[in-house]
Amino acid sequence: MKLSVVIPAYNEEESLPETLRSLYETLVKHNIDHEICVTNDNSKDRTEQVLQDLQKEIPTLVYFTNKGPNGFGYAIRYGLERFSGDCVAVMMADMSDSPDDLVKYYNTMIEQDVDAVFGSRFIKGGAVYDYPKVKLFINRVSNFVIKMLTGIKTNDTTNAFKLYKRETIEGVKPFMSAHFNLTVELPLKAFVRGYSYTVVPNSWQNRKYGKSNLKIKEMGSRYLFILLYCMIEKSFSRGDYMKK
């Protein structure tokens, strides 16, 4: 399978060189046919120039500039409408996700022939480094609530770093989320609509440069909206959106 990697980027001029070089070198090392798709989300710094320069040394790098509307969810959606691979992973631009974990996701998808591979940082073999304590507490409570209310068999639904087959991405459309709640919408819709998945451990480390764009106070109601939507679909849609 050809692997596409969609990476949203807003003002990531410092992080992108190390992130993309490491990702490219790892995928080449493991002989994985791939493309790296970066969505420049109308950045105000030198992100676009950095991407142009990196294309000279990374032949599988393509980038798009999303002129608007902008936001984390919109940036990912922009890439998910344009990738060319048979499967697609969502990764962060800030080096928080490990390319070695992506290889593990990819091999697991092939070996088990599942529609999606979900990473969890909170199972045996997973790890987090320098996770802010308040965000970690909110993360664990939120994921516990999601698991209890939906029955999904993962304790890290909000983890953006996941891998989906192209058919799975097509099957969870239309996308609704404009912000970080897209990280919940994609796996919950896949689960509710009957797509197969497995969960593997992954690691996460805090960014070296810049600051996170996630604003917890602004996201609570948006996460709740997606959670309630998926619960309503599961209970009342009578299978209209199930995997065919």
Side-chain angles (χ1 to χ4, degrees), residues 35-47:
E35 65 173 355
I36 301 171
C37 305
V38 179
T39 300
N40 169 31
D41 198 34
N42 204 15
S43 297
K44 308 306 180 187
D45 65 356
R46 295 183 61 258
T47 290

Side-chain angles (χ1 to χ4, degrees), residues 38-162:
V38 179
T39 300
N40 169 31
D41 198 34
N42 204 15
S43 297
K44 308 306 180 187
D45 65 356
R46 295 183 61 258
T47 290
E48 185 166 12
Q49 183 60 56
V50 168
L51 288 168
Q52 290 176 357
D53 293 342
L54 286 170
Q55 280 186 316
K56 300 172 184 177
E57 59 181 281
I58 302 177
T60 58
L61 172 61
V62 296
Y63 81 88
F64 319 107
T65 295
N66 177 24
K67 296 296 185 181
N70 298 119
F72 179 84
Y74 282 127
I76 293 177
R77 286 164 55 173
Y78 204 88
L80 291 179
E81 295 289 358
R82 290 164 174 79
F83 75 93
S84 66
D86 304 298
C87 58
V88 59
V90 175
M91 291 186 71
M92 298 299 98
D94 58 8
M95 298 178 288
S96 58
D97 300 320
S98 165
D100 290 324
D101 285 335
L102 178 58
V103 172
K104 180 168 58 179
Y105 285 18
Y106 177 82
N107 290 333
T108 298
M109 176 170 280
I110 292 175
E111 292 164 4
Q112 298 188 21
D113 192 26
V114 288
D115 299 318
V117 177
F118 299 160
S120 175
R121 298 161 290 185
F122 304 102
I123 60 175
K124 184 177 181 180
V128 295
Y129 303 98
D130 194 25
Y131 206 123
K133 291 183 179 180
V134 173
K135 287 187 176 182
L136 179 60
F137 175 77
I138 295 173
N139 175 290
R140 302 320 305 135
V141 171
S142 300
N143 279 286
F144 176 79
V145 171
I146 291 171
K147 184 176 182 179
M148 291 300 100
L149 292 179
T150 65
I152 193 169
K153 303 300 182 183
T154 177
N155 64 358
D156 202 9
T157 303
T158 59
N159 182 2
F161 185 22
K162 297 181 173 71

